[in-house]
Amino acid sequence: MEQLSMEQLNVIAGAIMITIAALAGGFGNAMVISRFIEGVARQPEARATLLVQAILGVALVEVIPIIAVAFGIMKVLNIL
Amino acid sequence: MNRKRMDKTEKLSFQLGEIPVVFDIPVMIATTVAFLVVLALSLLAARNLTMVPTGLQNFIEMIIDFTSGIVRTNMDEKTASRFYGFAFTLFVYVVVSNELGLMFNVVTSEGNHQNAYAWWKSPTADINAVFSLAIAITLFAHLLGVIKSPKLYLREYFKPYWWMFPLHIIDEVAKPLTHGMRLWANIFAGEVLVIVLLQMNWLFAGAPLMVWIGYSLFVGVVQAYVFTILAFIYLSQKISTHD
C-alpha cells in the first residue's frame, strides 16, 4: 500500500471527527426530544413552556458536536 | 492537488514592540455595520414614542420584554433592573452579527481565482471577535463580584473544601472558553457549509442551500438567546449566590 500524504490524512481525520460528532449529537438530541414528547403526552397544557426548555436543551447539547464539526471542517479544508 | 478552500481575507498587521498584532479587515467592517444597524434600529424605534406602541416600537418593546425576562429569571428584581439595557444590547448585537454574513458575500479577485479575497462575513464567525465578547463578559462578572464583596468573592473559590481550589480555577477558565466557542462554532459551521454548497452545481445544491440558510437564520437567533442566557447565568453566579 502506498503512503498517504499528510493532506489526505487530514481529510480522513476531519471525516472521522465529523462522523463521531454527528453520531453523538444525534443521540444527545434524541434524548432531549424524546423526554420532551413524553412530557407533552403526559401534560399537554405545559407544551409552550416545555418547548422553550427543549429548544434551549437542544441548543446546549448541539454545541459540543458542532465544535467538533467546526474543527473537522478546518481539518478537511486544511486551514488548521 | 487543487482542492476548493475558503477565500482568504485581507489582514491589517503591524508590530507592537515584539508582539505581532493582526486585525481581520472583514470582521472590522462587519462589526462596524452590526453596531450601526443596532444603533439605527434603536434610534428609529425611539422616535415618536407613543403609549400604544405600533410598528417598529412594538417590535422593539417585544424584544426588550423578552430579554428582561431572561435577566429576571436569573436575578432578583432589584439587581435585575440594572441589567435590562445590557441584556437588550447584547442580544440584539449578537443576533444582528449572526445574520449579517448570511445575506450576501463580497469577493474580489485579481487575475486568477486563486487570489480571491472575501470582504464580508459574520463577525461572530471569527473566533477572536467572539472571544473578545466572552472574555469581556467574564471580566465584568468577576469585577462585579469583587466590588460587591472581595472577601466573599475569594471565599467562593474554597467552597465546599479548600482543596477544591484547582477545580474552581479550571471552571473559571472553561467558562469563557465554552461560552465563546459555542457561538463561534455554530455560526462558523453554518457559513462554511453555505460556502461549500455555493461551490457545487446549483441544480443539486439549490434546494439544500435554501433549507440550510433558513436553518442558519433560526440557529443564529437561538444561539444569541443561549449566549445571553449564559452571560446572565455567569453574572448572577458572581453577584447573587453569596450569602
Side-chain angles (χ1 to χ4, degrees), chain A residues 7 60 63 66-67 73 76 79, chain B residues 3 6 182 185-186 192 222:
Chain A
E7 213 163 275
L60 286 175
V63 154
I66 283 270
I67 291 175
I73 288 170
V76 170
I79 310 173
Chain B
R3 211 170 338 95
M6 293 178 73
R182 193 180 296 280
N186 273 283
V192 166
V222 169

Side-chain angles (χ1 to χ4, degrees), chain B residues 76-206:
Chain B
D76 55 277
E77 194 66 41
K78 209 169 124 263
T79 359
S81 61
R82 288 161 54 202
F83 291 103
Y84 290 158
F86 176 51
F88 172 73
T89 318
L90 187 65
F91 179 72
V92 175
Y93 175 73
V94 175
V95 169
V96 170
S97 322
N98 286 350
E99 315 295 17
L100 270 185
L102 290 171
M103 293 189 296
F104 53 83
N105 196 7
V106 183
V107 180
T108 56
S109 58
E110 17 180 321
N112 55 349
H113 200 66
Q114 290 295 309
N115 285 325
Y117 283 99
W119 291 97
W120 186 257
K121 65 175 181 176
S122 289
T124 40
D126 188 88
I127 198 161
N128 301 310
V130 165
F131 270 137
S132 62
L133 275 179
I135 291 172
I137 287 167
T138 312
L139 288 180
F140 182 47
H142 282 263
L143 190 70
L144 285 178
V146 172
I147 285 173
K148 196 176 180 206
S149 164
K151 208 167 120 250
L152 289 175
Y153 170 78
L154 280 178
R155 200 195 278 166
E156 280 288 305
Y157 285 95
F158 299 98
K159 274 180 179 176
Y161 306 108
W162 63 266
W163 48 263
M164 291 279 197
F165 179 68
L167 292 179
H168 279 288
I169 293 294
I170 294 172
D171 187 37
E172 294 303 329
V173 174
K175 266 183 203 167
L177 205 64
T178 52
H179 193 197
M181 247 187 204
R182 193 180 296 280
L183 183 60
W184 163 75
N186 273 283
I187 308 304
F188 175 75
E191 295 220 329
V192 166
L193 197 52
V194 167
I195 289 169
V196 169
L197 286 173
L198 279 176
Q199 285 169 344
M200 283 201 266
N201 192 332
W202 63 271
L203 214 59
F204 301 112

